Amino acid sequence: MHTVVVGTAGVTVSDVLAVARADARIELSQEAVAALTAAREIVDALAAKPEPVYGVSTGFGALATRHISEELRVQLQRNIVRSHAAGIGPRVEREVVRALMFLRLKTVCSGHTGVRPEVAQTMADVLNAGITPVVHEYGSLGCSGDLAPLSHCALTLLGEGEAEGPDGVVRPAAELLAEHGIAPVELHEKEGLALLNGTDGMLGMLIMALADLDKLYKSADVTAALSMEALLGTDKVLAPELQAIRPHPGQGASAANMLAVLKGSGLTGHHQDDAPRVQDAYSVRCAPQVAGAGRDTLAHARLVAERELASAVDNPVVLADGRVESNGNFHGAPVAYVLDFLAIAAADLASIAERRTDRLLDKNRSHGLPPFLADDPGVDSGLMIAQYTQAALVSEMKRLAVPASADSIPSSAMQEDHVSMGWSAARKLRTAVDNLTRVLAIELYAATRAVELREGLTPAPATRAAITALREAGAEGPGPDRFLAPDLAAADAFVRDGRLVASVEAVTGALQ
């Protein structure tokens, strides 16, 4: 099994994905243990002084003015975890919780939090045991970190609350820890605060969305190419020299992908035949421009994610010169913005894909295809309602594209008076990514049927490979009406697990 070693310099995107989605094991480096030990010595020295230090010997948030006596500090740290574990609503997905815990461990191991090595090791042990704390949908405002979600994770370290075992059954956390030989931790000064004060939930969801969207943007280039073939469009608009005079990198990559997929096609370039047109519709002709703009948005979001991965987000932080300073680095605005940007880009990509599907089904605009791609129009409805489903998904994605980060609501008696809503931005982006997958699956299903209905014309080798693989995956080709939902589900799975891109790349080589 793959092992991820956590040091003081942060982790990589691939590390996060390996832990969250592939259950990679975690080890703490000797460097991390040394840094944890050194930072803890600083915190212990400050805790012994009579002067109050925020997070060490004071209350939290609006209650930071109270100095906490030494005999109450263990109770203080335990209480902050218990009281902040106030989430409500449906459970959050396992992969999100694993990413959340792992990224908090990453920051803990930076040596800037003052957490003892044994607490960090317990975090790693819980993840390695496949124990997943129960975290709820609602509770984070994305400002002082993802407080409620991280508190539910910290509660498991205390042996309290509920968690899911490696068998998928939710049970008391104390039972699961005992079964795996993990002793619950007792939190000392600053440790409770350090376990719940970070942007880890929204960052984890950003990283996973980026991985999923990278695959979906390649998928969108494939489905756009198939639709161009099916509509007898011209691929001349994809020429590299045309992309070069508007040198957005994403646009060039999308156009190059479409050209590679369409290489050798016998369907493109027939727009001057029986139903002459000077130009293809925007949804066909401008596919690289729209998908390319989304790709460039992905590139910016990836840069933000990498910067956040290199960060130590906590308040207060232990600095190399021994100072412990309060700060505002926990604010989620940088991550929240790009989560919203990605939802906007995903909605637009879905919208242009739906417009191509609608064009394929409309006999007045499809250049010779039967109405709704039906076998016997009138008796058969063909893919009429598949487009309704696609339209419903796109409409929801437009609603999900409304920025969460443009909102703020004050909390903690106006101490936390401007929040990022980054967790909410991440949650709606996950839904948008799911919907985009389904939208592209429906375009794929319609476009492949339309290509097969172009008798006498031969599709490109790459699109032919995609059609063959899709049919083998259980999404049937043209014919009389049948129960359509299973075909759409098969197409959805075909796009979601990467088989669409893989089937094309077997012919074209790696797409950009």
Side-chain angles (χ1 to χ4, degrees), residues 325-479:
E325 297 285 1
S326 292
N327 65 91
N329 286 340
F330 49 73
H331 199 286
V335 182
Y337 291 168
V338 295
L339 288 162
D340 281 334
F341 297 164
L342 292 176
I344 292 168
D348 201 34
L349 187 63
S351 181
I352 196 171
E354 184 274 332
R355 287 295 78 204
R356 290 191 295 262
T357 303
D358 182 66
R359 185 166 289 272
L360 289 167
L361 271 55
D362 183 353
K363 70 180 182 64
N364 296 312
R365 294 180 293 141
S366 66
H367 310 290
L369 291 169
F372 304 106
L373 306 182
D375 185 63
D376 185 3
V379 174
D380 294 314
S381 295
L383 304 189
M384 179 191 294
I385 307 305
Q387 185 269 329
Y388 284 34
T389 300
Q390 193 184 40
L393 290 163
V394 171
S395 289
E396 182 180 35
M397 290 183 70
K398 292 174 182 176
R399 295 190 294 272
L400 292 168
V402 175
S405 58
D407 186 22
S408 178
I409 190 164
S411 57
S412 192
M414 294 298 287
Q415 175 74 3
E416 298 173 9
D417 59 351
H418 183 82
V419 299
S420 77
M421 303 306 295
W423 174 273
S424 299
R427 295 307 297 165
K428 68 185 183 64
L429 178 59
R430 282 181 71 84
T431 303
V433 170
D434 271 347
N435 284 358
L436 177 59
T437 307
R438 297 172 181 124
V439 168
L440 294 177
I442 292 172
E443 182 187 15
L444 172 69
Y445 187 67
T448 54
R449 177 182 282 208
V451 167
E452 289 177 305
L453 289 171
R454 294 291 190 188
E455 296 180 0
L457 296 174
T458 305
T463 56
R464 195 159 61 243
I467 293 169
T468 299
L470 178 63
R471 300 294 172 248
E472 291 174 349
E476 298 182 26

Side-chain angles (χ1 to χ4, degrees), residues 19-218:
V19 171
R21 291 181 162 173
D23 290 346
R25 290 190 60 77
I26 302 161
E27 291 181 3
L28 308 186
S29 71
Q30 292 182 349
E31 174 195 31
V33 173
L36 286 160
T37 302
R40 186 65 209 177
E41 290 173 355
I42 294 171
V43 171
D44 286 341
L46 288 171
K49 293 183 177 181
E51 299 83 9
V53 178
Y54 177 69
V56 176
S57 53
T58 71
F60 309 109
L63 302 175
T65 55
R66 178 179 172 182
H67 182 256
I68 307 299
S69 60
E70 187 172 351
E71 65 271 14
L72 293 176
R73 291 177 190 169
V74 169
Q75 181 180 341
L76 169 71
Q77 299 300 321
R78 182 172 61 246
N79 284 352
I80 191 176
V81 172
R82 287 174 170 172
S83 65
H84 285 45
I88 199 168
R91 284 180 57 197
V92 171
E93 303 86 356
R94 182 177 186 270
E95 65 177 14
V96 172
V97 179
R98 287 184 63 82
L100 174 73
M101 285 193 71
F102 176 64
L103 287 168
R104 183 79 316 230
L105 175 61
K106 177 270 300 182
T107 285
V108 163
C109 288
S110 70
H112 289 293
T113 67
V115 169
R116 289 169 297 147
E118 50 264 45
V119 176
Q121 185 60 57
T122 301
M123 296 172 74
D125 291 343
V126 168
L127 285 164
N128 288 340
I131 298 171
T132 308
V134 171
V135 173
H136 299 280
E137 179 85 15
Y138 302 104
S140 174
L141 297 178
C143 186
S144 285
D146 292 316
L147 289 173
L150 282 164
S151 296
H152 282 277
C153 293
L155 198 65
T156 295
L157 303 180
L158 303 182
E160 299 183 17
E162 291 187 321
E164 178 186 299
D167 58 359
V169 177
V170 173
R171 295 164 54 196
E175 290 182 13
L176 288 167
L177 294 183
E179 283 185 7
H180 290 85
I182 302 171
V185 298
E186 180 180 81
L187 299 176
H188 294 183
E189 290 93 342
K190 194 184 178 302
E191 289 181 331
L193 185 60
L195 292 178
L196 52 89
N197 205 346
T199 57
D200 308 293
M202 62 183 92
L203 176 58
M205 286 185 275
L206 172 60
I207 288 168
M208 288 185 283
L210 286 168
D212 294 337
L213 286 168
D214 181 68
K215 179 171 58 184
L216 289 175
Y217 271 84
K218 293 176 185 176

